[in-house]
Amino acid sequence: MTTEHTLAIENLTVGYGDRSVIEHLDLRIPPGRVTAIVGANACGKSTLLRSMSRLLAPQAGRVVLDGKEVHRMPAKELARTMGLLPQSPIAPEGITVADLVGRGRHPHHGIMSRWSKDDDLAVAEALEATHTAELAERAVDELSGGQRQRVWIAMALAQHTDLLLLDEPTTFLDVSHQIEVLDLLTDLNATRGTTIVMVLHDLNLAARYADQLIALADGGLHAAGDPAEVLTADCVRAVFGLESQVIPDPVSGKPLMLPIGRHHVTVPVTA
């Protein structure tokens, strides 16, 4: 099962004030797949995600969802199709976990509509999927960073959108919970056909979990495609300025990047 929504970036230039971060970018997001955006710090990963979700207006070009420019769509209409989990979101002071996750249901309510059993079910499923049900009555500001991150993901899941954008969803999480979250997003993609677009810093996790990698560099697109085609030593050198070796991951079969620094290199390095 896959979603049929199309999301395209056309000749996009976007930035802050007079400064452009991304220039003349053309990109297609494959529907019903998992896409990971990677690149060096300040290369425009978060800026791109903010523009895709209409939080940041383009300086030129456009973002098109199902033939409509997202920056011209009513906010509620867009929110029924596309959800966003930004970096470091801020919860209202004193709000409980259940109430915050429940806010993911707002796009599905009209002026006269009331909270329904479907809303209860969506919230319960999101809490269960993120293992936060036992936190439902806790205040969000009392939680650890990892717990808060899982609660924000639960809110995004409760929104029940066909496209989900996540900016560093594994931030603040230990290794175990990073894998848990990425497995959860993979399950969401497999069972609901949700199109997932996420910014990740960990190249190896991005390559393992994504169907498509997008590598940004110098304000534009360096490479996009299957992880086996994108994650190469040449790409790592061009995008990150880092020497590396890329080998098959013995667990997943996907490419595995081994960084090469100035120290602790005990075997000959091949080009």
Side-chain angles (χ1 to χ4, degrees):
M1 181 176 65
T2 60
T3 58
E4 297 180 356
H5 300 286
T6 59
L7 181 62
I9 292 88
E10 300 178 352
N11 196 32
L12 182 70
T13 296
V14 64
Y16 304 92
D18 296 330
R19 182 175 65 92
S20 295
V21 177
I22 292 173
E23 295 184 336
H24 308 299
L25 179 66
D26 289 297
L27 198 59
R28 297 291 184 272
I29 302 299
R33 308 300 291 274
V34 177
T35 295
I37 303 172
V38 300
N41 289 342
C43 73
K45 302 184 296 297
S46 297
T47 298
L48 174 59
L49 217 64
R50 286 171 57 82
S51 186
M52 288 166 64
S53 62
R54 95 170 216 152
L55 289 181
L56 186 62
Q59 297 168 339
R62 61 183 192 162
V63 179
V64 181
L65 173 63
D66 297 336
K68 300 179 182 179
E69 292 189 40
V70 299
H71 295 87
R72 297 179 181 270
M73 294 175 66
K76 209 163 193 178
E77 178 185 348
L78 180 64
R80 285 193 290 266
T81 301
M82 178 189 293
L84 170 69
L85 178 62
Q87 278 191 38
S88 306
I90 300 174
E93 185 176 355
I95 193 171
T96 66
V97 167
D99 286 342
L100 181 64
V101 175
R103 292 193 174 197
R105 302 300 300 161
H106 286 184
H108 301 279
H109 294 165
I111 296 176
M112 302 298 293
S113 62
R114 298 181 178 179
W115 190 266
S116 69
K117 291 183 178 179
D118 287 342
D119 296 318
D120 284 329
L121 180 60
V123 170
E125 288 178 343
L127 291 170
E128 184 67 26
T130 53
H131 303 288
T132 53
E134 70 277 8
L135 305 174
E137 302 307 317
R138 296 268 305 275
V140 174
D141 51 18
E142 296 177 355
L143 305 179
S144 69
Q147 288 172 324
R148 282 197 300 270
Q149 189 71 350
R150 285 188 285 147
V151 169
W152 283 109
I153 292 172
M155 189 189 76
L157 296 186
Q159 195 171 333
H160 275 199
T161 58
D162 291 332
L163 290 96
L164 186 56
L165 313 182
L166 304 105
D167 195 354
E168 289 293 339
T170 56
T171 298
F172 305 124
L173 301 181
D174 60 31
V175 173
S176 174
H177 286 119
Q178 287 181 37
I179 298 300
E180 185 178 316
V181 164
L182 293 172
D183 280 343
L184 169 64
L185 295 173
T186 301
D187 289 340
L188 184 66
N189 169 257
T191 59
R192 295 185 187 174
T194 304
T195 300
I196 305 288
V197 183
M198 55 184 173
V199 171
L200 289 178
H201 271 302
D202 190 313
L203 284 177
N204 291 328
L205 288 181
R208 177 180 290 193
Y209 280 91
D211 301 304
Q212 172 177 259
L213 282 186
I214 295 171
L216 300 181
D218 300 322
L221 178 66
H222 178 79
D226 186 276
E229 299 171 353
V230 174
L231 185 52
T232 65
D234 286 342
C235 179
V236 173
R237 184 183 303 112
V239 173
F240 295 94
L242 176 69
E243 295 300 322
S244 67
Q245 284 190 333
V246 178
I247 65 173
D249 183 338
V251 173
S252 67
K254 297 289 191 74
L256 179 70
M257 190 277 292
L258 305 176
I260 299 171
R262 294 186 297 108
H263 301 290
H264 307 294
V265 179
T266 58
V267 297
V269 176
T270 61

